[in-house]
Amino acid sequence: MQRILVIKHGAFGDVIQADGVLRDIRAHHKEAEIVMLTTPAFRQIFDRSPHVDRVLLDPRAPRWRLDLMRKLKAMLVAEKFDMVYDLQNTPRTAFYFRWFLPNTKWSGTAKGCSHPHKAINPKSIPAIERMVGQLQDAGVPVVHARTPDVSWMADDVSTLLQQAGVTGKYIMLIPGCSARHPHKRWPHYEALARHLISEGHTIVTGPGPDEIPDAYSFPGAVIKGPQGFIKWFGLAGLLKGASFVVGNDTGPSHLASHLGVPGFALFGPHTTAERTSILRSNFSAIEVPDLAALPLERVLGEIKARLAA
C-alpha cells in the first residue's frame, strides 16, 4: 500500500478550503493510505474528514529546539512516505523537505522538489486556485478542489436550538473574529440584530471561546455548549441549519460558504473576498475601504434583497 502525506497546519479557513483538494488527492490515490500532518488545534477536524485515514501532529516547535526537530524527523522518516503534498508551502515545510525527506516525491513550492508548483504563492491568486494549480502541476485530476463541501462537519444541534427556544427559521450572525485582527470586525452587529428581530426574524449567534464575555449581552439566541462556547462541529451544525448567514472575514464565515449556506461576509482593507476564495454561488461579500464606515442600512438592504430573491 502506498502511503501519502499531506501537510496542512492551518489556519481554520484554510483547513476548510482544502476539503475539495483532499478529496481529489484521495480519488487519485485510491488504494493509498492518506496521512495528514497538522497542528494539534485541527486534529479533530482531520480525524473526522472522510478523505483522511490517519493524522500526525506537528507542534511547530522552534527550529532551535533540536530535540523536537529530531523527534519530528524520526517520525516522518519512519513512515516511509511515497509522496508528500505540501499544501502549507511555508519556509517551515520547505525546511522539512530539505532536511527530513529530501528523497521523497514532494509536491509544493520548496526549492528542488520533484513536483514543483509553478506559482510561488502570489498574493493575486485566490487561495483555492493556488491549490488547484499545485494539483495540476503534480498530475492530479481536478474535480472537486474548487467546490469544497464540509457538510460532514455538521453535528445535529436540534437539542441546543430547542433549549434556546429556536424552533423555526433563523438568521445566524458571526460578529467576532480572531483577536489578532480587530480591524476585521464590523462594529454594528448588535444594531443589525435588533433591527432584524424587530422585523420578525430569529437571530442566532454561536460564540467561540474568545467571544463569551460579549456574547451574553448580544440580542437574540446565544447557542453555547457545555463549556460555555460552541465547538467547530456544533458551529457547523448551526450554520448548516441557518436560512441566512452574515459574518466578518473569519473562519466561521468560510465554513458557512463551504457548507452551501446562503449569506455574505463583510470585508475591509485587510484582504479581498476573491483572494480568500470565500465567494461561492451561495455566498457573496460586501467590500469597503473602512468597515467602521459601512452603514447599517447597506447591510440591511443586502439581506432583504437576498432573502427576497
Side-chain angles (χ1 to χ4, degrees):
M1 179 184 292
Q2 274 196 327
R3 191 167 292 163
I4 307 299
L5 179 68
V6 182
I7 305 176
K8 193 65 181 171
H9 288 137
F12 180 55
D14 298 326
V15 166
I16 299 305
Q17 290 174 345
D19 170 78
V21 176
L22 283 172
R23 188 173 175 184
D24 283 340
I25 292 173
R26 169 81 281 170
H28 187 59
H29 299 278
K30 290 185 176 65
E31 305 301 323
E33 181 185 31
I34 307 297
V35 182
M36 174 62 63
L37 180 67
T38 190
T39 52
F42 301 109
R43 176 174 191 162
Q44 287 184 324
I45 293 177
F46 288 120
D47 274 338
R48 183 180 285 203
S49 170
H51 319 307
V52 173
D53 297 308
R54 191 157 50 92
V55 178
L56 298 177
L57 295 183
D58 179 2
R60 288 196 295 185
R63 289 185 223 174
W64 54 264
R65 284 295 306 269
L66 298 182
D67 55 332
L68 297 179
M69 289 292 100
R70 291 191 189 100
K71 184 177 180 181
L72 179 62
K73 177 180 180 179
M75 177 181 72
L76 296 177
V77 170
E79 292 281 347
K80 295 182 169 57
F81 290 113
D82 297 282
M83 179 76 186
V84 178
Y85 291 91
D86 177 9
L87 300 183
Q88 198 67 27
N89 287 312
T90 59
R92 171 179 288 275
T93 55
F95 174 85
Y96 293 176
F97 166 66
R98 289 193 304 271
W99 297 101
F100 296 173
L101 301 170
N103 298 316
T104 303
K105 292 180 180 178
W106 189 286
S107 163
T109 60
K111 185 177 181 180
C113 67
S114 56
H115 295 73
H117 180 32
K118 298 171 186 174
I120 311 299
N121 290 338
K123 292 184 178 180
S124 61
I125 298 179
I128 289 180
E129 287 303 315
R130 293 200 298 270
M131 291 188 286
V132 165
Q134 184 171 341
L135 291 185
Q136 292 170 335
D137 291 339
V140 178
V142 174
V143 180
H144 305 288
R146 291 188 175 94
T147 55
D149 181 0
V150 289
S151 298
W152 49 266
M153 282 187 64
D155 275 351
D156 180 356
V157 293
S158 55
T159 300
L160 290 176
L161 287 168
Q162 289 172 4
Q163 290 173 347
V166 179
T167 56
K169 291 183 177 181
Y170 59 89
I171 295 175
M172 187 159 178
L173 302 182
I174 306 171
C177 72
S178 169
R180 295 177 299 153
H181 302 296
H183 57 283
K184 295 168 71 172
R185 297 185 184 187
W186 184 55
H188 305 302
Y189 277 100
E190 185 171 342
L192 175 64
R194 294 191 187 282
H195 193 99
L196 290 172
I197 290 170
S198 72
E199 293 188 341
H201 296 285
T202 298
I203 298 302
V204 166
T205 55
D210 297 332
E211 299 161 353
I212 294 175
D214 299 325
Y216 296 110
S217 61
F218 198 85
V222 180
I223 311 299
K224 50 191 183 298
Q227 293 82 16
F229 59 91
I230 198 76
K231 292 187 175 181
W232 282 320
F233 303 134
L235 175 64
L238 290 178
L239 290 166
K240 186 68 175 174
S243 59
F244 202 79
V245 173
V246 181
N248 294 316
D249 170 21
T250 184
S253 296
H254 288 271
L255 179 57
S257 171
H258 300 309
L259 282 166
V261 184
F264 60 84
L266 308 178
F267 279 74
H270 183 80
T271 187
T272 66
E274 182 181 11
R275 190 178 297 169
T276 66
S277 294
I278 200 172
L279 300 176
R280 308 278 98 188
S281 60
N282 56 287
F283 210 86
S284 59
I286 294 178
E287 301 182 73
V288 293
D290 181 5
L291 275 176
L294 175 60
L296 173 64
E297 291 74 20
R298 182 176 174 187
V299 177
L300 278 169
E302 183 68 19
I303 294 173
K304 292 177 181 179
R306 289 286 302 277
L307 291 178

Short mmCIF file of all heavy atoms in Angstrom, two decimals, residues 144-187:
data_model
loop_
_atom_site.label_atom_id
_atom_site.label_comp_id
_atom_site.label_asym_id
_atom_site.label_seq_id
_atom_site.Cartn_x
_atom_site.Cartn_y
_atom_site.Cartn_z
N HIS A 144 -12.93 18.20 -7.65
CA HIS A 144 -13.66 18.74 -6.50
C HIS A 144 -12.94 19.91 -5.82
O HIS A 144 -13.52 20.53 -4.93
CB HIS A 144 -13.88 17.64 -5.46
CG HIS A 144 -14.57 16.42 -6.01
ND1 HIS A 144 -15.89 16.41 -6.35
CD2 HIS A 144 -14.09 15.18 -6.28
CE1 HIS A 144 -16.23 15.21 -6.80
NE2 HIS A 144 -15.15 14.45 -6.78
N ALA A 145 -11.70 20.19 -6.21
CA ALA A 145 -10.90 21.17 -5.47
C ALA A 145 -11.55 22.54 -5.39
O ALA A 145 -11.43 23.23 -4.37
CB ALA A 145 -9.51 21.28 -6.09
N ARG A 146 -12.24 22.94 -6.46
CA ARG A 146 -12.85 24.28 -6.48
C ARG A 146 -14.19 24.33 -5.75
O ARG A 146 -14.76 25.41 -5.60
CB ARG A 146 -13.04 24.74 -7.93
CG ARG A 146 -11.73 25.05 -8.66
CD ARG A 146 -12.01 25.68 -10.02
NE ARG A 146 -10.78 26.09 -10.68
CZ ARG A 146 -10.10 25.34 -11.55
NH1 ARG A 146 -10.55 24.12 -11.84
NH2 ARG A 146 -9.00 25.79 -12.11
N THR A 147 -14.70 23.19 -5.32
CA THR A 147 -16.01 23.16 -4.67
C THR A 147 -15.95 22.38 -3.36
O THR A 147 -16.49 21.27 -3.26
CB THR A 147 -17.07 22.55 -5.60
OG1 THR A 147 -16.61 21.25 -6.02
CG2 THR A 147 -17.31 23.43 -6.81
N PRO A 148 -15.28 22.92 -2.34
CA PRO A 148 -15.25 22.23 -1.06
C PRO A 148 -16.68 22.04 -0.52
O PRO A 148 -17.54 22.89 -0.71
CB PRO A 148 -14.46 23.18 -0.15
CG PRO A 148 -13.76 24.12 -1.08
CD PRO A 148 -14.60 24.23 -2.30
N ASP A 149 -16.89 20.92 0.14
CA ASP A 149 -18.18 20.65 0.78
C ASP A 149 -17.90 19.96 2.11
O ASP A 149 -17.58 18.77 2.16
CB ASP A 149 -19.05 19.76 -0.10
CG ASP A 149 -20.42 19.46 0.52
OD1 ASP A 149 -20.68 19.95 1.63
OD2 ASP A 149 -21.22 18.74 -0.11
N VAL A 150 -18.01 20.73 3.19
CA VAL A 150 -17.68 20.19 4.51
C VAL A 150 -18.94 19.88 5.31
O VAL A 150 -18.98 20.02 6.53
CB VAL A 150 -16.77 21.17 5.29
CG1 VAL A 150 -15.39 21.20 4.69
CG2 VAL A 150 -17.37 22.57 5.33
N SER A 151 -19.98 19.40 4.63
CA SER A 151 -21.21 19.02 5.32
C SER A 151 -20.95 17.94 6.37
O SER A 151 -21.69 17.83 7.35
CB SER A 151 -22.26 18.53 4.32
OG SER A 151 -22.61 19.55 3.41
N TRP A 152 -19.90 17.15 6.17
CA TRP A 152 -19.54 16.10 7.13
C TRP A 152 -19.13 16.67 8.49
O TRP A 152 -19.06 15.93 9.48
CB TRP A 152 -18.42 15.23 6.57
CG TRP A 152 -17.24 15.99 6.03
CD1 TRP A 152 -17.04 16.36 4.74
CD2 TRP A 152 -16.11 16.48 6.77
NE1 TRP A 152 -15.85 17.06 4.61
CE2 TRP A 152 -15.27 17.15 5.85
CE3 TRP A 152 -15.74 16.43 8.10
CZ2 TRP A 152 -14.07 17.75 6.22
CZ3 TRP A 152 -14.55 17.02 8.50
CH2 TRP A 152 -13.73 17.67 7.56
N MET A 153 -18.89 17.98 8.56
CA MET A 153 -18.52 18.59 9.85
C MET A 153 -19.74 18.89 10.73
O MET A 153 -19.59 19.13 11.93
CB MET A 153 -17.75 19.90 9.62
CG MET A 153 -16.32 19.72 9.23
SD MET A 153 -15.43 21.31 9.18
CE MET A 153 -15.51 21.83 10.90
N ALA A 154 -20.92 18.92 10.17
CA ALA A 154 -22.10 19.44 10.87
C ALA A 154 -22.71 18.42 11.83
O ALA A 154 -23.19 17.36 11.41
CB ALA A 154 -23.14 19.90 9.86
N ASP A 155 -22.70 18.75 13.11
CA ASP A 155 -23.38 17.95 14.13
C ASP A 155 -24.87 18.28 14.15
O ASP A 155 -25.30 19.35 13.69
CB ASP A 155 -22.80 18.23 15.51
CG ASP A 155 -21.58 17.38 15.81
OD1 ASP A 155 -21.29 16.45 15.03
OD2 ASP A 155 -20.92 17.64 16.85
N ASP A 156 -25.65 17.39 14.72
CA ASP A 156 -27.07 17.65 14.97
C ASP A 156 -27.17 18.56 16.19
O ASP A 156 -26.79 18.17 17.30
CB ASP A 156 -27.80 16.33 15.22
CG ASP A 156 -29.29 16.52 15.48
OD1 ASP A 156 -29.76 17.68 15.54
OD2 ASP A 156 -30.00 15.50 15.65
N VAL A 157 -27.66 19.78 15.99
CA VAL A 157 -27.75 20.76 17.09
C VAL A 157 -29.20 21.08 17.43
O VAL A 157 -29.48 22.10 18.04
CB VAL A 157 -26.98 22.05 16.74
CG1 VAL A 157 -25.49 21.80 16.65
CG2 VAL A 157 -27.49 22.65 15.42
N SER A 158 -30.12 20.21 17.03
CA SER A 158 -31.53 20.48 17.28
C SER A 158 -31.84 20.64 18.75
O SER A 158 -32.65 21.50 19.14
CB SER A 158 -32.40 19.37 16.66
OG SER A 158 -32.00 18.09 17.15
N THR A 159 -31.19 19.85 19.59
CA THR A 159 -31.44 19.96 21.04
C THR A 159 -30.97 21.31 21.57
O THR A 159 -31.67 21.95 22.37
CB THR A 159 -30.74 18.81 21.80
OG1 THR A 159 -31.25 17.57 21.34
CG2 THR A 159 -30.97 18.93 23.29
N LEU A 160 -29.79 21.76 21.14
CA LEU A 160 -29.28 23.06 21.58
C LEU A 160 -30.21 24.19 21.14
O LEU A 160 -30.47 25.12 21.89
CB LEU A 160 -27.87 23.29 21.02
CG LEU A 160 -26.75 22.43 21.59
CD1 LEU A 160 -25.44 22.73 20.86
CD2 LEU A 160 -26.58 22.68 23.08
N LEU A 161 -30.71 24.09 19.92
CA LEU A 161 -31.62 25.12 19.42
C LEU A 161 -32.93 25.12 20.20
O LEU A 161 -33.45 26.19 20.58
CB LEU A 161 -31.89 24.89 17.93
CG LEU A 161 -30.74 25.22 16.98
CD1 LEU A 161 -31.01 24.69 15.58
CD2 LEU A 161 -30.47 26.72 16.93
N GLN A 162 -33.46 23.95 20.49
CA GLN A 162 -34.71 23.86 21.25
C GLN A 162 -34.53 24.43 22.66
O GLN A 162 -35.41 25.12 23.18
CB GLN A 162 -35.18 22.41 21.32
CG GLN A 162 -35.71 21.89 19.99
CD GLN A 162 -35.99 20.40 20.03
OE1 GLN A 162 -35.86 19.76 21.07
NE2 GLN A 162 -36.35 19.83 18.88
N GLN A 163 -33.38 24.13 23.27
CA GLN A 163 -33.11 24.65 24.61
C GLN A 163 -33.05 26.17 24.62
O GLN A 163 -33.37 26.80 25.63
CB GLN A 163 -31.81 24.07 25.15
CG GLN A 163 -31.88 22.59 25.48
CD GLN A 163 -30.53 21.99 25.84
OE1 GLN A 163 -29.47 22.61 25.61
NE2 GLN A 163 -30.53 20.80 26.39
N ALA A 164 -32.65 26.76 23.49
CA ALA A 164 -32.57 28.22 23.38
C ALA A 164 -33.87 28.83 22.88
O ALA A 164 -33.94 30.05 22.68
CB ALA A 164 -31.42 28.60 22.45
N GLY A 165 -34.88 27.97 22.66
CA GLY A 165 -36.17 28.48 22.21
C GLY A 165 -36.26 28.74 20.72
O GLY A 165 -37.17 29.43 20.26
N VAL A 166 -35.33 28.19 19.93
CA VAL A 166 -35.33 28.38 18.48
C VAL A 166 -35.97 27.16 17.84
O VAL A 166 -35.44 26.05 17.92
CB VAL A 166 -33.90 28.57 17.94
CG1 VAL A 166 -33.91 28.75 16.43
CG2 VAL A 166 -33.24 29.77 18.62
N THR A 167 -37.11 27.34 17.21
CA THR A 167 -37.85 26.22 16.65
C THR A 167 -38.10 26.35 15.14
O THR A 167 -38.52 25.39 14.51
CB THR A 167 -39.22 26.06 17.35
OG1 THR A 167 -39.94 27.30 17.24
CG2 THR A 167 -39.01 25.72 18.83
N GLY A 168 -37.89 27.51 14.57
CA GLY A 168 -38.14 27.71 13.15
C GLY A 168 -36.91 28.21 12.42
O GLY A 168 -35.77 27.96 12.83
N LYS A 169 -37.13 28.95 11.34
CA LYS A 169 -36.03 29.51 10.57
C LYS A 169 -35.28 30.56 11.38
O LYS A 169 -35.87 31.26 12.22
CB LYS A 169 -36.54 30.14 9.28
CG LYS A 169 -37.08 29.13 8.27
CD LYS A 169 -37.50 29.84 6.99
CE LYS A 169 -37.98 28.84 5.94
NZ LYS A 169 -38.37 29.52 4.68
N TYR A 170 -33.99 30.68 11.12
CA TYR A 170 -33.19 31.69 11.83
C TYR A 170 -32.08 32.21 10.94
O TYR A 170 -31.61 31.53 10.02
CB TYR A 170 -32.62 31.13 13.13
CG TYR A 170 -31.72 29.93 12.97
CD1 TYR A 170 -30.34 30.06 12.77
CD2 TYR A 170 -32.24 28.63 13.04
CE1 TYR A 170 -29.52 28.95 12.65
CE2 TYR A 170 -31.43 27.52 12.90
CZ TYR A 170 -30.07 27.68 12.72
OH TYR A 170 -29.25 26.58 12.59
N ILE A 171 -31.70 33.46 11.21
CA ILE A 171 -30.53 34.08 10.58
C ILE A 171 -29.38 34.01 11.57
O ILE A 171 -29.55 34.37 12.75
CB ILE A 171 -30.82 35.55 10.20
CG1 ILE A 171 -31.90 35.61 9.12
CG2 ILE A 171 -29.54 36.25 9.72
CD1 ILE A 171 -32.34 37.03 8.78
N MET A 172 -28.23 33.56 11.13
CA MET A 172 -27.08 33.47 12.03
C MET A 172 -26.10 34.59 11.72
O MET A 172 -25.74 34.82 10.56
CB MET A 172 -26.39 32.12 11.88
CG MET A 172 -25.30 31.90 12.91
SD MET A 172 -24.91 30.17 13.15
CE MET A 172 -23.57 30.32 14.35
N LEU A 173 -25.67 35.26 12.77
CA LEU A 173 -24.69 36.33 12.65
C LEU A 173 -23.36 35.88 13.25
O LEU A 173 -23.32 35.16 14.25
CB LEU A 173 -25.18 37.59 13.37
CG LEU A 173 -26.51 38.17 12.90
CD1 LEU A 173 -26.84 39.45 13.68
CD2 LEU A 173 -26.50 38.46 11.40
N ILE A 174 -22.27 36.32 12.61
CA ILE A 174 -20.91 36.00 13.09
C ILE A 174 -20.21 37.33 13.37
O ILE A 174 -19.48 37.86 12.52
CB ILE A 174 -20.14 35.18 12.03
CG1 ILE A 174 -20.94 33.94 11.63
CG2 ILE A 174 -18.77 34.78 12.56
CD1 ILE A 174 -20.36 33.20 10.43
N PRO A 175 -20.43 37.91 14.55
CA PRO A 175 -19.90 39.24 14.84
C PRO A 175 -18.44 39.28 15.26
O PRO A 175 -17.84 40.35 15.33
CB PRO A 175 -20.79 39.72 16.00
CG PRO A 175 -21.19 38.46 16.69
CD PRO A 175 -21.30 37.40 15.62
N GLY A 176 -17.86 38.12 15.55
CA GLY A 176 -16.48 38.10 16.04
C GLY A 176 -15.48 37.75 14.96
O GLY A 176 -15.82 37.55 13.79
N CYS A 177 -14.22 37.68 15.35
CA CYS A 177 -13.13 37.19 14.50
C CYS A 177 -11.93 37.03 15.40
O CYS A 177 -12.01 37.25 16.61
CB CYS A 177 -12.86 38.14 13.33
SG CYS A 177 -12.07 39.69 13.79
N SER A 178 -10.81 36.66 14.83
CA SER A 178 -9.59 36.48 15.60
C SER A 178 -9.24 37.75 16.38
O SER A 178 -9.34 38.86 15.86
CB SER A 178 -8.43 36.12 14.67
OG SER A 178 -7.20 36.18 15.35
N ALA A 179 -8.84 37.56 17.64
CA ALA A 179 -8.46 38.70 18.47
C ALA A 179 -7.25 39.43 17.89
O ALA A 179 -7.02 40.60 18.21
CB ALA A 179 -8.15 38.22 19.89
N ARG A 180 -6.51 38.77 17.01
CA ARG A 180 -5.33 39.40 16.40
C ARG A 180 -5.71 40.39 15.31
O ARG A 180 -4.88 41.18 14.87
CB ARG A 180 -4.41 38.33 15.80
CG ARG A 180 -3.77 37.39 16.82
CD ARG A 180 -2.94 36.35 16.12
NE ARG A 180 -3.76 35.53 15.22
CZ ARG A 180 -3.31 34.91 14.14
NH1 ARG A 180 -2.04 35.07 13.78
NH2 ARG A 180 -4.10 34.16 13.41
N HIS A 181 -6.97 40.34 14.86
CA HIS A 181 -7.40 41.19 13.75
C HIS A 181 -8.68 41.95 14.08
O HIS A 181 -9.70 41.78 13.41
CB HIS A 181 -7.60 40.36 12.49
CG HIS A 181 -6.40 39.59 12.05
ND1 HIS A 181 -5.23 40.21 11.63
CD2 HIS A 181 -6.16 38.25 11.97
CE1 HIS A 181 -4.34 39.29 11.30
NE2 HIS A 181 -4.88 38.10 11.51
N PRO A 182 -8.65 42.80 15.09
CA PRO A 182 -9.87 43.53 15.46
C PRO A 182 -10.39 44.43 14.35
O PRO A 182 -11.57 44.75 14.30
CB PRO A 182 -9.44 44.34 16.69
CG PRO A 182 -7.95 44.45 16.59
CD PRO A 182 -7.50 43.17 15.94
N HIS A 183 -9.51 44.85 13.43
CA HIS A 183 -9.92 45.72 12.32
C HIS A 183 -10.81 44.99 11.32
O HIS A 183 -11.39 45.62 10.44
CB HIS A 183 -8.68 46.27 11.61
CG HIS A 183 -7.75 45.20 11.10
ND1 HIS A 183 -6.91 44.50 11.93
CD2 HIS A 183 -7.56 44.70 9.86
CE1 HIS A 183 -6.22 43.62 11.22
NE2 HIS A 183 -6.61 43.71 9.96
N LYS A 184 -10.93 43.67 11.45
CA LYS A 184 -11.79 42.90 10.55
C LYS A 184 -13.22 42.78 11.09
O LYS A 184 -14.05 42.11 10.47
CB LYS A 184 -11.19 41.51 10.32
CG LYS A 184 -9.85 41.54 9.58
CD LYS A 184 -9.13 40.21 9.62
CE LYS A 184 -9.79 39.16 8.78
NZ LYS A 184 -8.97 37.92 8.67
N ARG A 185 -13.49 43.43 12.20
CA ARG A 185 -14.83 43.33 12.81
C ARG A 185 -15.68 44.55 12.44
O ARG A 185 -15.29 45.68 12.68
CB ARG A 185 -14.71 43.25 14.33
CG ARG A 185 -13.98 42.03 14.83
CD ARG A 185 -14.02 41.94 16.35
NE ARG A 185 -13.23 40.83 16.84
CZ ARG A 185 -13.19 40.44 18.10
NH1 ARG A 185 -13.89 41.10 19.01
NH2 ARG A 185 -12.46 39.41 18.47
N TRP A 186 -16.83 44.29 11.87
CA TRP A 186 -17.81 45.35 11.63
C TRP A 186 -18.46 45.69 12.97
O TRP A 186 -18.92 44.79 13.69
CB TRP A 186 -18.85 44.86 10.62
CG TRP A 186 -19.86 45.89 10.21
CD1 TRP A 186 -19.60 47.13 9.70
CD2 TRP A 186 -21.28 45.77 10.26
NE1 TRP A 186 -20.77 47.79 9.43
CE2 TRP A 186 -21.81 46.97 9.76
CE3 TRP A 186 -22.15 44.76 10.68
CZ2 TRP A 186 -23.20 47.20 9.67
CZ3 TRP A 186 -23.51 44.97 10.58
CH2 TRP A 186 -24.02 46.18 10.09
N PRO A 187 -18.53 46.96 13.36
CA PRO A 187 -18.94 47.30 14.73
C PRO A 187 -20.45 47.41 14.94
O PRO A 187 -20.87 47.79 16.04
CB PRO A 187 -18.27 48.66 14.95
CG PRO A 187 -18.19 49.27 13.60
CD PRO A 187 -17.98 48.12 12.64
#
